[in-house]
Amino acid sequence: MANYIIPVFIVLILVYSLFKKINAYDCFVSGARNAIDLCINTFPYLVAIFSIVELLEASGLSSEISKLTSPVFGFLGIPSELTEFLILRPFTGSGSIGMLSNLFSIYGPDSYISKCASVIMSCSETTFYVIAVYFSTTKIKKLRYVIPVCLLSALIGAVISCAVCRII
């Protein structure tokens, strides 16, 4: 059944475009042209985010920040083993997956730490990556409230994730 979803969706789009008398090929080409422009416009922002993540990890600054913030996270009910994961999660998705895999190998996939990390991974977003991509295309530069609200919601999600994992 799953093998037919995309072909059926494409056929439905073509039937709809015939019904509305829209040239589907021209729309597709126009969208592809816009996608190339989008890639070119967002590339510098992505390079900046990836550079920041690499600098945080290579310099050891992320581990130092995690040592400083672990008492605060511990007070909120988040295990100290997850502090570096929580600090890097808003910056990098692939780095978070690597850290999650590392937590699985150290503590086992059924441990409390791994369960918390898995739920945190699923309820949070790579905030700075998303902001770099989406806000660079809309040319919005005033991010006064966006970043603090996103980071606060990620923290609240992490606290609730650990509380739920503690219960189950």
Side-chain angles (χ1 to χ4, degrees), residues 3-20 24:
N3 294 336
Y4 298 112
I5 291 175
I6 292 177
V8 167
F9 187 68
I10 291 171
V11 169
L12 288 175
I13 289 173
L14 292 174
V15 168
Y16 179 78
S17 67
L18 286 173
F19 179 72
K20 289 289 192 173

Side-chain angles (χ1 to χ4, degrees), residues 65-118:
I65 293 172
S66 70
K67 288 177 187 173
L68 289 172
T69 57
S70 63
V72 175
F73 288 144
F75 177 75
L76 295 173
I78 300 171
S80 61
E81 295 86 354
L82 297 178
T83 54
E84 190 170 3
F85 176 75
L86 285 173
I87 290 168
L88 286 180
R89 177 68 182 138
F91 291 99
T92 173
S94 58
S96 299
I97 291 172
M99 291 183 81
L100 182 65
S101 175
N102 190 31
L103 289 170
F104 286 166
S105 65
I106 293 171
Y107 299 103
D110 293 331
S111 68
Y112 171 68
I113 302 293
S114 297
K115 287 179 184 178
C116 289
S118 297

Side-chain angles (χ1 to χ4, degrees), residues 10 13 29 36 51 58 76 111 126 146 157-158:
I10 291 171
I13 289 173
V29 170
I36 292 171
S51 299
L76 295 173
S111 68
T126 53
V146 174

Side-chain angles (χ1 to χ4, degrees), residues 24-35:
Y25 181 75
D26 286 342
C27 291
F28 175 79
V29 170
S30 174
R33 186 178 304 115
N34 291 339

Side-chain angles (χ1 to χ4, degrees), residues 50-68:
F50 292 144
S51 299
I52 289 169
V53 169
E54 287 300 317
L55 286 173
L56 279 173
E57 290 177 349
S59 68
L61 186 60
S62 63
S63 62
E64 292 300 319
I65 293 172
S66 70
K67 288 177 187 173
L68 289 172

